[in-house]
Structure formats: structure tokens, C-alpha cells
């Protein structure tokens, strides 16, 4: 048995020699129990029996060696060379770890190249060597194994049914409906327990989504610079600035709803309404200062910051799903999946001449939610 | 015997004394694995997952799943002094200050993409070859669940670094949750622990990403592999391959060595990608900030279809009794992918019901030999593909210099028209390929040698196809005949064929079993395989066999009349249909 194995795989040969006989010894052990006298180590006994009984009967399914031993020797050398290279690349990986320390962009780049390159090389060489080994050293075989229908035979099914039914009867589960029903009753609250326990995952929404932190007199701060801005500083038509409510620069929950953009227009560009609420795709004149209009930056689709502004067309574009709003017409939706204009923030100037809010938005900002419906659309 | 040999033999005996292992494992060593390149697709998914576990574990040693805001003082100069979450700062630390950290991060991300791509390719292979058929329906369903879990696992994973791009992804996730009628707002508040972004979403996604979902995936992969092992792998049609055998190389040593090498190749490919192809450079995006957003934002490719569905949808919304129904958000979030997953999950059972085929199938179909199935598959891929491309409509518009709105309108139309065209074209191609096969079978291979006969006539010489090719050519499926419907000569329809449902079934049967005609009759060369596995269910089929005029024979040639223009079928005059 073992002499059939190639020198490259002594391990497997060893396992099989201790393994095949055990299989064969199985019926032997049952058939002649009297031959084992006393208590010899079982493994030894099986090995001895196997050596006598199975060796001559064994029919080989896999050929021991490839057809061409000369070629095999060449392939063996080739694979060994590839594995040696893999070893060197592996050493290179460890060396790279020691040599390259990262910390800077360039340092990290070098470290990444050296570590990744050597790792890939090791893996690639090992894979290539193994494939050559399998394809050119292991003798080619194609074996056929029978398949049997997966369904059990009728007898097996009948036996299973009997066994199952016997168990069901013995358990009394079927016979005693009172027990069965109370057991189910008892498990009901237990099944609900995980859901109950999850209740404190978050607070109830209440009307949290309806309002932002904007309030009368709160200054508009330039996002990033965190300072107020006056209409005089913002006098180039076509320019746009991101705005946050004064003092909320570190409050992401507040900013996620209260972020605003202000856009400066030439006189006559904005389509105004004299009403005190948005109508017919018009800008509320009373809520602007000096042709500066403030819109919520949070897209009414799913809430991305509508961050792109095209000066020539006055379009505000959300980079996530391309909803497009016309800034001259109350940010009405021109294209895309957003259902509503971006709400307009009422603004004015305070005593020092800085832009301030006249109050909160007249409706919830950002994406729709089920309870939103009672507000202006 | 060598020293190692003795040691292993000793270990083997030690184990066997305790486990009785030799009894069962000898069979496993000789277990036969059929070979075909397409069988490697599932292995790619498996090995990507193993690599994900390895690299992911490495990343957890440094990653801090915390939204606590800190000021960065690490190695990356451009962000020094910037406020950011600990999650983002620790991702920078892994990238810049942990040796091999960036490599592991990039391999991890690439492996996630490869995992999903391999699942898709594997699923497509299984569908087109009919490998989902009995007895493998359970494994097909497990596969669909794995795909779905993979999408969530990926989304949650790339949200963890808390960078500007991933934060936008979370914002969109929150917006979608909010759109669901009745429960939406509550779902969003419960997941985020209040309003967006809150302070708990990263730690919550973290535990889902590193424990809950990978645990589920691991369990389902184990079940998937166990079923594959137990039921034995399918095989491609070929000489000597039938539904009652499995032909290939034994697991030990051949399959083990080959698949081991394949793992190394997958790992090597990912290592190369992680080395040379930058992915998710979060230090460029910057930390998350609800006010900022960059143009050209894209999710990972496996979320692209959902992204496209959101972009393609018109802005429909209705207000009923003071409540907002956001058709524009929750429909695209649920319906397109829902159609594909639900359709895929039900398809094996629909096909079984229509064809009445309850046999075990272990030899795969060639896609051309199931023209309707193949056409449905290509139609589904087209539908998915249109929405996937629409997910990058801004990038396409930019690179191709086409208007963004034209692209969106093109997608709106082609998501409906495209699949229909794909269905028709694919079916024609399949039928054409079948006819080509039939031609080869009947006339042999054209050799290109022209010979003049003594009569002066020129003929081209052909030679018969070789045995291996013959076996492949003859692997056309033989569908069981449908039990007689209401048009049966006896006038008495079989139990399963009565009423409207029966009519639907017999119509669908015609469509699903449509094939180019085989002139020398069915069953040629099929002898052992198909005929041998008769199922015990056949009350209906047995009836069908006894009826002199079977519906299926009529249907078969009825289709032939349609496609081939051959003589009309005697049964074709059924006004009842």
C-alpha cells in the first residue's frame, strides 16, 4: 500500500495504511470474536488482521504513478522551483513588514505595494505550483460513482412513520390537548419578549421631524467659517453659500435638518409672490433680503444635501438621485424623484446688518414621512 | 514508512479509536466531484467569504465602532485638527499607522465586491443550466437568501468608516425607511435611536456586520455546502453522464488539491486588487458631515440596481387623510428587486407545476435546450442591468456627454421594453442553436471537402460527430407529457387540468417546453438516464400515456408549425384554446 505512494505524500500513505484495514476488519471482528483473547490494544489487533486479509484483495482505483516517469521528474523539479520562489516571496513579505512603516501617504503607498505584491506573489506561486502538480504529476483519472434516488424506500418511510408515531403517542402530546394548548399559551408571551425588549431602541417620533432649530432672530452662519454674513458681503449675483444656524456647528442632528443654502440673484430674476406662504412655484418676496433667497439644503427625496448649483440655469441639483429644482421659482421640482420644492427659509437682517431667520420653515424639511401629510405640499 | 507517515498513521488510529471515523470517511475520500469551469463560480463566492472573515477579523483589532467626536491628531496631515468620529479616526489609523492595514482594508472591500459578483454569476449559471431543479430547490432558496444577506452585509460594512460617502448612504437608507407607510417613521427612529444621524447607528451596524449577519451567512453557507455534498454535485451533459451517476475526479487527492489551488488564486487576485487598485479611499472623502455632499457619489456595485430604481422613478406621492404615501421612494426600494428575488424563488416550483416534471435532475441542461427559461433569465438580467446602469446615470451622462434626463427617460422606457426584446431575441437564438445542433446530428460535421460524383453531381463530405460531442448534442430534455386537458378526445380532463387553472397550465406548458423539433423523435440516445428515473407520482402522466391523442405531442408540433412553417398539426384545430 505505502510503496504505491509517491515520496511527496508519505503522510497520506501512512494514514491510509492505518485506515483501510480498519474498514476491512469490521466484519472480521463481528464474525470471529473468539480470535481476540485477552485485551490487546484494538488498533494493533485491527492492523494485524488487515495485513493478512485485505492486502491481496485490494483493487486499485487510482493509478499509482503518471505514465512518463522522466517527464514527471522534470515537472517535480519545476514545481519545487516554484515553491522555492514562493518561499522567497514569503520572506520578502516579512521583510517588507519590517522595512516599510507607513505613516505618510507615500510611506503607506510603498508599504502597501511591498506587502501586497509579495503576498500576491506567494499565493500566486503556490497556486500555480499546485495546479502543475495536480495536472502533470497526479495520474489522470475519471471515476464514475452511482447515484441513488434520494427518496427513502417505502419500508424506510414506513419504519420512520411508525417510530415517529410511537414517540408522539408516548409523549402524550397528541392525546392531551389541554397540555398542548397551555404549553402554546405559555410560549406566546415569551415569543413576544424579544420584540418588547427592542422597544427602547429609539424614542417615538412625536413631532420631531416637523421642526428645525431655526427660530426668529437666529443668525445665518457661513458653513465652514462659522461666522455671520451680511447682504453686503454677499453681493455677487449667481453665487451660492452653504449656511448653518449660528452655534450649531457641532450638532449633527440639528444640521441634518437645518442646513440651508442662500443664493444671490439679479433683480428681476426671481419670480415673486406677495403672499406670506409659498404659492404656485413662486418665491415669497417677504422672506428674501435684497434678492437673496434661502432654501433648505436637505433634498425632499431621501435627504441628501442638494449640494450642486448651476449658475446659468439657476438649477439646484441633488447629487444622489439627480432631483433638480428651479431656484428662481421657489425651488420647484423640474426633474427627478423629489416630490416637493425645497422649503424656503424666511430671512431678514438684524440690527447689526447680518442675515437672520424670521422663524422656522413653514413645513417639515427633508424626505417625506407618513405623518407629514397635513403640511403644505 | 517515513516518520511523518508513522505519525499520521498514529494520529489516524488515535482518532479512529475514538470516533469510528475510518468507517465513514473512506467514502468521503473517494467522493466524486464533476468538473466544469462554471462550477468554480460558487467556489469564488465561498473563498471570498473566507477571505472576508480573515481580513475582517484583522480590521476589528483596531476599528472603533464609535460616533464620539474627537479631534484628529494622527499621521494623515490634511485632516489633522479636524473633528471626526472615532470610527473614522480609527479607519485612518488602520490605513496609515497599522502596517498592512490599508492592504487588509482594500482586500476586505474588494473581497466583498467579488463575493457579491461571484454569487450573481453562480446564480446565473445555476439558473441557466437548470441546476435548481429537483432535488436542489432548497439550495436555490438558500442562495437567494444569501444574496440578500450579502447586500445588507455589504451596505452595513461600507457604512462603518463614517466617511462622507458612507454617511450619505446611511442618510438615503434613513430616507427610504421613513417612506414606508404607517411604520416607516418608527422604523427609522428605532434603527437610528432617534433622528438622523444620532449617536448609535455605527455601533449598531457594527454588531450586525461583524456578528449577526456573518453568523447567518456562515450557517447558510454550511447548509448550502452540506446539501451540495449530500445530494452530490450536478454534472454537465457528456459521454457516460446520466441522472443516475456522477463522473469526475475523487475528492482526495484531486479535488482537494485543485480547490486548494483555486483558493490561492482567488486570494492572490484579491491581494493584487488590494495592492494595485485603490478602493474606498476614505481619507479623500473626509469625515461625515450632514451639510456636505460630493458629486458623482456611487454605492458599491451590488447596490447599484436599487440606486437606479430610486433614480428612475417619477416623483409620485399622494396625501390621503393627512398622511403621505411616498410611492416615489418605497416602490422603487421594494418592487424591482422584489420582482427578481420573488420570481427567482418561485420559478422552480412554477416550472415543476407547469411541466409536471417531478423527476430528479442531475445532468444540467444546456441553456439553449430550455429556450423559454433562458429567455426569461436574460429578460430578468436585462431588467436588472437597465436599472443598474441608471444607478450611474450621472456618471454616464458625464462620460458620454448625453443629457442626464435623456438617460433617465431611456431607462424608464427600456426597463419595460428591454426585457421583452431580450426575451424574444434570446428565444430565437436558442431555437436557432437547437436547429444547428439538430443539423449536426442529422448530417454530421461539414469537412469542407467537395467531391464530384461519377454522375457529375457535387457533394460536400461530412463526417459524423465524435462520441463526446454526440452525447452533448443529444442531451435535449424530454418533458413529461401533460395530462389531458379539456380538449382531450375523451372529453374528460385529468384532475389537475380542470377549470381556468388547468387552461393556464396547458398554455404555459406550451410556452415553457417550446423547442425546435427533433425530427427523428424524442428519446434518441437518451436511453438510460431520463427513461430510468420514472417517478412514482404519475397518475396524471400514466393517463396521458394511455390516451391515443396526447396533448403534448400536439403542442410540440403545433409550435413547430409556428416556427418552422412545416405541415400543420392534426391537433391544431382546437377552438377551445
Amino acid at each position: 500500500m505505502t510503496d504505491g505512494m509517491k515520496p511527496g505524500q508519505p503522510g497520506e500513505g501512512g494514514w491510509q495504511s492505518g485506515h483501510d484495514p480498519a474498514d476491512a476488519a469490521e466484519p472480521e471482528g463481528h464474525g470471529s470474536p473468539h480470535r481476540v483473547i485477552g485485551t490487546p490494544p484494538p488498533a494493533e489487533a485491527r492492523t494485524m488482521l488487515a495485513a493478512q486479509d485485505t492486502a491481496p484483495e485490494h483493487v486499485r482505483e487510482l493509478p499509482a504513478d503518471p505514465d512518463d516517469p522522466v517527464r514527471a521528474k522534470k515537472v517535480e523539479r519545476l514545481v519545487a522551483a516554484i515553491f522555492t520562489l514562493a518561499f522567497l516571496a514569503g520572506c520578502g513579505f516579512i521583510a517588507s513588514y519590517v522595512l516599510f512603516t507607513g505613516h505618510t501617504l507615500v510611506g503607506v503607498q510603498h508599504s502597501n505595494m511591498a506587502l501586497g505584491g509579495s503576498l500576491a506573489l506567494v499565493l500566486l506561486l503556490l497556486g500555480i505550483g499546485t495546479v502543475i502538480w495536480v495536472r502533470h504529476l497526479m495520474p489522470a483519472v475519471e471515476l464514475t460513482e452511482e447515484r441513488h434516488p434520494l427518496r427513502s424506500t417505502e419500508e424506510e418511510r414506513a419504519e420512520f412513520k411508525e417510530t415517529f408515531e410511537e414517540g408522539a403517542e408516548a409523549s402524550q402530546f397528541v392525546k392531551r390537548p389541554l397540555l398542548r394548548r397551555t404549553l402554546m399559551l405559555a410560549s406566546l408571551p415569551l415569543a413576544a419578549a424579544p420584540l418588547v425588549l427592542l422597544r427602547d431602541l429609539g424614542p417615538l417620533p412625536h413631532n420631531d421631524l416637523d421642526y428645525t432649530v431655526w427660530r426668529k432672530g437666529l443668525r445665518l452662519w457661513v458653513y465652514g467659517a462659522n461666522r455671520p454674513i451680511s447682504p453686503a458681503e454677499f453681493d455677487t449675483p449667481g453665487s451660492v453659500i452653504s449656511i448653518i444656524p449660528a452655534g450649531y456647528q457641532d450638532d449633527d442632528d440639528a444640521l441634518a435638518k437645518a442646513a440651508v443654502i442662500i443664493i444671490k440673484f439679479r433683480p428681476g430674476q426671481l419670480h415673486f409672490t406677495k403672499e406670506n406662504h409659498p404659492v404656485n412655484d413662486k418665491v415669497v418676496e417677504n422672506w428674501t433680503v435684497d434678492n437673496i433667497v434661502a432654501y433648505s439644503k436637505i433634498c425632499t427625496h431621501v435627504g441628501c444635501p442638494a449640494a450642486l448649483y448651476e449658475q446659468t440655469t439657476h438649477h439646484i441639483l441633488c447629487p444622489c438621485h439627480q432631483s433638480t429644482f428651479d431656484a428662481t421659482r421657489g425651488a420647484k421640482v423640474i426633474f427627478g424623484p423629489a416630490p416637493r420644492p425645497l422649503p424656503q427659509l424666511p430671512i431678514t437682517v438684524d440690527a447689526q446688518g447680518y442675515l437672520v431667520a424670521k422663524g422656522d420653515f413653514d413645513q417639515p424639511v427633508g424626505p417625506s414621512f407618513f405623518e407629514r401629510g397635513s403640511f403644505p405640499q | 514508512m517515513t516518520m511523518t507517515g508513522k505519525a499520521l498513521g498514529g494520529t489516524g488510529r488515535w482518532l479512529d479509536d475514538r470516533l469510528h471515523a475510518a468507517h465513514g470517511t473512506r467514502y468521503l475520500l473517494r467522493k466524486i466531484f464533476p468538473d466544469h469551469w462554471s462550477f468554480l463560480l460558487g467556489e469564488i463566492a465561498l473563498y471570498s467569504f473566507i477571505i472576508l472573515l480573515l481580513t475582517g477579523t484583522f480590521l476589528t483589532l483596531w476599528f472603533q465602532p464609535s460616533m464620539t467626536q474627537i479631534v484628529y491628531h494622527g499621521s494623515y496631515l490634511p485632516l489633522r485638527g479636524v473633528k471626526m468620529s472615532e470610527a473614522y479616526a480609527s479607519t485612518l489609523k488602520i490605513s496609515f499607522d497599522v502596517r498592512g492595514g490599508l492592504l487588509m482594508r482594500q482586500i476586505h472591500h474588494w473581497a466583498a465586491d467579488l463575493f457579491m459578483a461571484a454569487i450573481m454569476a453562480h446564480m446565473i449559471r445555476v439558473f441557466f443550466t437548470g441546476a435548481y431543479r429537483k432535488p436542489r430547490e432548497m439550495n436555490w432558496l438558500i442562495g437567494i437568501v444569501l444574496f440578500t444577506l450579502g447586500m445588507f452585509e455589504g451596505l452595513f460594512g461600507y457604512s462603518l468608516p463614517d466617511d462622507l460617502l458612507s454617511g450619505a448612504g446611511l442618510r438615503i437608507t434613513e430616507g427610504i425607511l421613513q417612506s414606508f407607510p404607517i411604520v416607516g417613521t418608527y422604523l427609522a427612529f428605532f434603527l437610528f435611536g432617534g433622528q438622523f444621524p444620532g449617536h448609535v447607528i455605527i455601533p449598531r451596524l457594527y454588531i450586525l456586520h461583524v456578528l449577526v449577519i456573518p453568523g447567518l451567512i456562515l450557517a447558510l453557507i454550511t447548509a448550502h455546502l452540506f446539501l451540495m455534498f449530500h445530494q452530490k454535485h450536478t454534472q454537465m451533459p457528456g459521454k457516460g453522464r446520466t441522472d443516475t451517476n456522477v463522473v469526475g475526479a475523487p475528492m482526495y487527492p484531486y479535488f482537494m488539491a485543485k480547490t486548494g489551488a483555486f483558493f490561492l488564486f482567488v486570494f492572490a487576485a484579491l491581494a493584487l486588487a488590494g495592492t494595485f487598485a485603490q478602493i474606498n479611499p476614505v481619507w479623500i472623502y473626509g469625515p461625515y458631515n450632514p451639510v456636505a455632499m460630493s458629486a458623482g457619489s456611487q454605492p458599491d456595485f451590488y447596490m447599484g440596481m436599487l440606486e437606479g430604481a430610486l433614480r428612475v422613478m417619477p416623483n409620485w406621492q399622494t396625501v390621503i387623510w393627512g398622511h403621505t404615501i411616498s410611492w416615489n421612494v418605497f416602490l422603487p426600494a421594494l418592487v424591482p428587486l422584489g420582482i427578481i428575488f420573488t420570481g427567482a424563488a418561485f420559478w422552480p416550483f412554477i416550472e415543476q407545476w407547469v411541466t409536471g416534471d417531478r423527476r430528479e435532475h442531475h445532468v444540467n441542461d444546456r441553456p439553449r435546450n430550455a429556450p423559454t427559461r433562458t429567455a426569461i433569465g436574460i429578460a430578468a438580467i436585462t431588467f436588472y442591468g437597465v436599472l443598474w446602469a441608471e444607478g450611474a446615470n450621472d456618471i454616464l451622462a458625464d462620460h458620454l456627454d448625453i443629457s442626464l434626463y435623456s438617460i433617465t427617460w431611456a431607462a424608464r422606457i427600456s426597463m419595460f421594453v428591454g426585457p421583452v426584446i431580450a426575451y424574444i431575441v434570446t428565444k430565437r437564438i436558442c431555437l436557432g442553436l437547437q436547429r444547428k445542433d439538430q443539423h449536426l446530428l442529422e448530417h454530421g460535421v461539414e469537412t469542407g471537402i467537395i467531391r464530384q460524383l461519377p454522375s457529375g453531381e457535387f457533394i460536400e463530405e461530412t463526417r459524423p460527430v465524435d462520441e463526446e460531442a454526440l452525447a452533448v448534442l443529444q442531451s435535449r430534455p424530454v418533458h413529461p407529457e401533460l395530462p389531458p386537458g379539456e380538449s382531450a378526445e375523451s372529453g374528460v380532463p385529468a384532475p389537475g387540468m380542470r377549470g381556468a387553472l388547468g387552461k393556464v397550465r396547458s398554455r404555459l406548458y406550451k410556452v415553457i417546453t417550446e423547442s425546435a423539433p427533433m425530427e427523428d423523435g424524442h428519446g434518441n440516445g437518451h436511453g438510460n438516464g431520463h427513461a430510468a428515473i420514472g417517478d412514482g407520482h404519475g397518475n396524471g402522466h400514466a393517463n396521458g400515456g394511455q390516451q391515443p391523442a396526447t396533448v403534448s405531442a400536439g403542442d410540440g408540433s403545433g409550435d413547430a408549425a409556428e416556427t418552422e412553417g412545416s405541415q400543420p398539426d392534426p391537433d391544431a384545430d382546437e377552438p377551445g384554446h
Side-chain angles (χ1 to χ4, degrees), chain B residues 270-327:
Chain B
L270 287 171
L272 282 175
T275 309
F276 296 107
Q278 185 180 68
I279 192 163
N280 204 25
V282 290
W283 57 91
I284 294 176
Y285 308 150
Y288 180 64
N289 180 314
V291 181
M293 183 70 203
S294 57
S297 298
Q298 286 288 309
D300 273 27
F301 87 95
Y302 44 85
M303 302 302 284
M305 193 250 197
L306 282 176
E307 175 83 359
L310 281 176
R311 292 182 185 201
V312 87
M313 183 76 188
N315 62 348
W316 301 338
Q317 204 160 84
T318 33
V319 178
I320 304 172
W321 300 310
H323 286 101
T324 306
I325 316 283
S326 303
W327 309 106

Side-chain angles (χ1 to χ4, degrees), chain B residues 104-280:
Chain B
M104 291 297 134
R105 256 196 67 222
Q106 299 206 126
I107 292 181
H108 192 71
H109 204 127
W110 276 119
D113 281 345
L114 185 62
F115 178 64
M116 293 304 288
I119 289 182
M120 287 183 195
H122 175 58
M123 207 170 161
I124 287 169
R125 193 283 290 176
V126 167
F127 183 80
F128 284 132
T129 60
Y132 57 78
R133 290 174 296 173
K134 187 180 170 186
R136 296 184 179 76
E137 304 95 325
M138 280 182 290
N139 244 4
W140 174 248
L141 295 178
I142 291 175
I144 293 171
V145 177
L146 278 171
F147 189 1
T148 319
L149 286 174
M151 288 181 70
F152 282 105
E153 178 70 351
L155 169 70
F156 294 171
Y158 71 66
S159 296
L160 290 179
D162 202 23
D163 57 282
L164 189 58
L165 183 63
S166 74
L170 282 179
R171 176 77 228 211
I172 294 168
T173 309
E174 196 254 6
I176 291 172
L177 272 182
Q178 270 191 14
S179 76
F180 293 145
I182 304 172
V183 294
T185 320
Y186 294 85
L187 282 182
F189 268 66
F190 284 3
L191 179 62
F192 286 82
Q195 296 191 60
F196 179 86
H199 301 279
V200 296
I201 187 65
I202 297 288
R204 282 181 186 175
L205 293 184
Y206 182 70
I207 200 61
L208 291 172
H209 179 75
V210 303
L211 179 73
V212 180
I213 302 180
L216 288 173
I217 291 179
L218 190 60
L220 286 174
I221 286 180
T222 310
H224 200 71
L225 292 181
F226 171 79
L227 284 175
M228 183 271 290
F229 211 84
H230 181 63
Q231 297 177 329
K232 301 192 177 89
H233 205 283
T234 54
Q235 53 193 346
M236 288 300 176
K239 196 180 143 202
R241 299 180 188 178
T242 70
D243 277 331
T244 55
N245 70 9
V246 48
V247 181
M251 177 166 98
Y252 167 77
Y254 292 89
F255 181 74
M256 279 164 65
K258 278 197 274 191
T259 200
F262 195 60
F263 170 73
L264 292 167
F265 285 133
V266 172
F267 205 163
L270 287 171
L272 282 175
T275 309
F276 296 107
Q278 185 180 68
I279 192 163
N280 204 25

Side-chain angles (χ1 to χ4, degrees), chain A residues 12 15 61 97 139 147 371, chain B residues 12 30 99 185 233 252 254:
Chain A
E12 287 96 344
W15 159 246
E61 280 181 308
Y97 190 85
R147 264 185 214 275
E371 298 79 3
Chain B
R30 275 296 145 83
R99 279 175 282 178
T185 320
H233 205 283
Y252 167 77
Y254 292 89

